[in-house]
């Protein structure tokens, strides 16, 4: 009878029941296996250590800055100013002292100069006639041909004519000076750093500079130095300056050390005197280094020094090959590693790598 019943059940239902039973058995087996405690001990981390051995390490003060012309001047229009009518210099041009960089419109002042020049010629001629007339009057004064009043009148006329010449000469001198001020000239030999002037632009004494001119042959780096490094600098120290795209550094000397420290950035200023070079372009980013003597301190790989909210620290392998945490003071960063200026006396075994995965008190194995 049961055989007949199962024979009447569709095969698809029998397959479904079989799959459900199999999945239930698998789930029960997983539950039983998961409930068993894992008694396998965790592996002891293998670490590589560096033994601390202090040595003489060169003290290098590093800072960033820009290349600049040592002496530069802002060139603006003088006098009343006017509109720029012509430009004779571009950025990068080397100019001589007195060279015309730009010209301003002279349509107003040039006619005044011409008029005063004509007036001066007329005044001189009138003065010469008056002076000759007065001398003739003096020559016949003894004969009584002219009265005393007439002679005095002619003398006054000669004096007035001479005074008129002086007045017109002064006016012409002033007008010519105004005309010369329409020519913007270079005050010294140098190179044009920037040009903001454009033809048609209104230029005046109170406006923006038309040009910035750097004195030829004088280049320097202007850097910002950390407050803690500033006392280690001195005028005359040798410096190395690197600029982007140039492999070899430029050698210079510390020329000036700032007297104040910015209260916001906690940075001081330093200026490095450099020899002129085509690759030392004003405005270029530069990185400077100054050798400031030597110090006895250990150097660790950068991977050995960690940092968190409490500051810089390292992991050491202490007694019983257990991890210990030690706070350190970091100095300058060098190509071979980081200089440690405090926190390590010597002889300690510092974990070189894999520090972030360790915990204080954890046992470790030291790699041979």
């Amino acid at each position: 009878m049961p055989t007949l019943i199962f024979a009447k059940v569709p095969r698809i239902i029998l397959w479904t029941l079989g799959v459900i039973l199999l999945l239930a058995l698998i789930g029960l087996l997983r539950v039983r296996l998961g409930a068993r405690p894992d008694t396998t001990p965790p592996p002891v981390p293998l670490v590589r250590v560096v033994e601390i051995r202090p040595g003489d390490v060169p003290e290098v003060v590093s800072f960033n800055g820009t290349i600049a012309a040592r002496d530069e001047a802002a060139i603006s229009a003088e006098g009343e100013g006017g509109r720029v009518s012509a430009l004779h210099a571009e950025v990068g041009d080397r100019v001589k002292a007195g060279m015309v960089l730009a010209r301003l419109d002279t349509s107003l002042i040039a006619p005044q100069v011409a008029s005063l020049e004509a007036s001066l010629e007329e005044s001189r001629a009138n003065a010469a006639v008056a002076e000759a007339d007065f001398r003739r009057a003096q020559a016949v004064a003894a004969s009584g041909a002219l009265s005393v009043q007439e002679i005095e009148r002619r003398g006054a006329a000669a004096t007035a004519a001479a005074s008129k010449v002086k007045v017109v000469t002064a006016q012409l001198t002033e007008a010519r000076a105004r005309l010369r001020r329409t020519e913007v000239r270079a005050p010294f030999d140098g190179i044009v750093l920037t040009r903001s002037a454009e033809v048609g632009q209104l230029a005046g004494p109170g406006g923006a500079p038309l040009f910035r001119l750097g004195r030829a042959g004088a280049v320097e780096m202007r850097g910002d130095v950390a407050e803690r490094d500033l006392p280690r600098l001195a005028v005359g120290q040798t410096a190395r300056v690197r600029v982007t795209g140039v492999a070899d550094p430029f050698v210079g000397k510390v020329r000036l050390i700032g007297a104040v420290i910015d209260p916001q950035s906690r940075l001081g200023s330093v200026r490095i005197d450099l020899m002129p070079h085509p690759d030392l372009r004003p405005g270029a980013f530069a990185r400077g280094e100054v050798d400031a003597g030597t110090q006895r301190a250990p150097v660790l790989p950068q991977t050995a020094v960690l940092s968190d909210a409490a500051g810089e620290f390292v992991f050491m392998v202490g007694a019983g090959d257990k991890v210990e945490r030690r706070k350190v003071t970091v100095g300058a960063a060098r190509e071979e590693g980081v200089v440690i200026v405090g926190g390590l006396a010597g002889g300690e075994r510092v974990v070189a790598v894999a520090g972030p995965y360790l915990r204080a008190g954890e046992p470790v194995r030291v790699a041979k």
Side-chain angles (χ1 to χ4, degrees):
M1 186 67 178
T3 305
L4 294 175
I5 293 174
F6 281 105
K8 294 181 180 181
V9 177
R11 290 185 177 183
I12 185 64
I13 296 177
L14 293 177
W15 278 102
T16 302
L17 292 175
V19 171
I20 292 174
L21 181 60
L22 179 61
L23 292 176
L25 290 175
I26 293 174
L28 180 62
L29 181 61
R30 286 183 175 178
V31 170
R32 288 182 176 275
L33 291 177
R36 295 179 182 178
D38 187 5
T39 59
T40 304
V44 178
L46 180 67
V47 298
R48 183 170 63 87
V49 299
V50 177
E51 186 174 352
I52 299 301
R53 295 179 180 177
D56 291 334
V57 179
E59 285 191 274
V60 179
V61 177
S62 301
F63 46 89
N64 298 328
T66 56
I67 302 299
R70 178 172 171 178
D71 299 318
E72 60 180 70
I75 312 300
S76 303
E78 301 180 34
E80 300 86 352
R83 293 196 179 276
V84 178
S85 60
L87 295 172
H88 301 284
E90 293 292 339
V91 174
D93 289 351
R94 295 188 177 275
V95 297
K96 295 292 185 179
M99 176 179 170
V100 177
L101 306 178
R103 296 180 187 275
L104 305 183
D105 181 56
T106 61
S107 59
L108 295 178
I109 186 62
Q112 295 179 14
V113 172
S115 176
L116 287 171
E117 288 176 345
S119 179
L120 179 60
E121 293 297 327
E122 181 182 0
S123 298
R124 285 174 175 172
N126 293 336
V129 172
E131 179 65 22
D133 195 19
F134 176 58
R135 289 181 179 178
R136 285 194 298 269
Q138 285 181 320
V140 298
S143 64
L146 297 174
S147 63
V148 175
Q149 292 81 3
E150 180 62 20
I151 295 174
E152 291 176 350
R153 185 190 66 77
R154 293 186 182 185
T159 303
S163 299
K164 180 65 178 299
V165 171
K166 293 180 180 179
V167 171
V168 176
T169 300
Q171 293 175 346
L172 179 59
T173 301
E174 181 183 358
R176 285 174 173 170
R178 292 170 56 194
L179 184 61
R180 284 194 300 270
R181 286 196 291 268
T182 61
E183 297 177 337
V184 181
R185 296 178 178 270
F188 48 73
D189 294 351
I191 182 172
V192 179
L193 304 178
T194 62
R195 176 183 69 82
S196 60
E198 298 292 344
V199 175
Q201 173 185 342
L202 185 61
L210 302 179
F211 300 89
R212 294 195 71 86
L213 193 65
R215 191 179 298 276
V219 183
E220 67 180 6
M221 175 191 175
R222 299 177 183 176
D224 297 322
V225 184
E227 181 179 6
R228 68 174 183 272
D229 293 332
L230 209 59
R232 295 189 288 170
L233 297 181
V235 175
Q237 288 176 323
T238 300
R240 296 179 299 276
V241 176
R242 298 181 182 274
V243 297
T244 304
V246 181
D248 297 329
F250 299 93
V251 179
K253 290 187 178 297
V254 177
R255 182 179 71 87
L256 182 66
I257 300 174
V260 298
I261 295 175
D262 190 309
Q264 303 297 327
S265 63
R266 313 309 307 173
L267 297 175
S269 61
V270 63
R271 297 195 177 187
I272 308 299
D273 198 9
L274 299 167
M275 294 296 293
H277 193 279
D279 292 331
L280 291 174
R281 296 178 175 86
F285 174 80
R287 180 174 178 81
E289 294 179 344
V290 174
D291 294 328
T294 60
Q295 60 178 339
R296 192 163 185 80
V299 179
L300 292 179
Q302 294 186 0
T303 55
V305 182
L306 307 175
S307 178
D308 59 12
E312 288 87 3
F313 65 94
V314 297
F315 281 127
M316 303 187 311
V317 178
D321 286 346
K322 292 187 177 181
V323 176
E324 297 179 4
R325 171 171 170 152
R326 177 73 63 85
K327 180 178 176 59
V328 296
T329 303
V330 176
R334 303 179 60 82
E335 293 183 1
E336 59 269 26
V338 179
V339 180
I340 306 300
V341 296
L344 299 175
E348 297 93 342
R349 294 183 299 170
V350 176
V351 178
V353 293
Y357 307 102
L358 301 177
R359 297 186 303 274
E362 179 183 10
V364 294
R365 292 180 299 132
V366 177
K368 300 299 183 182

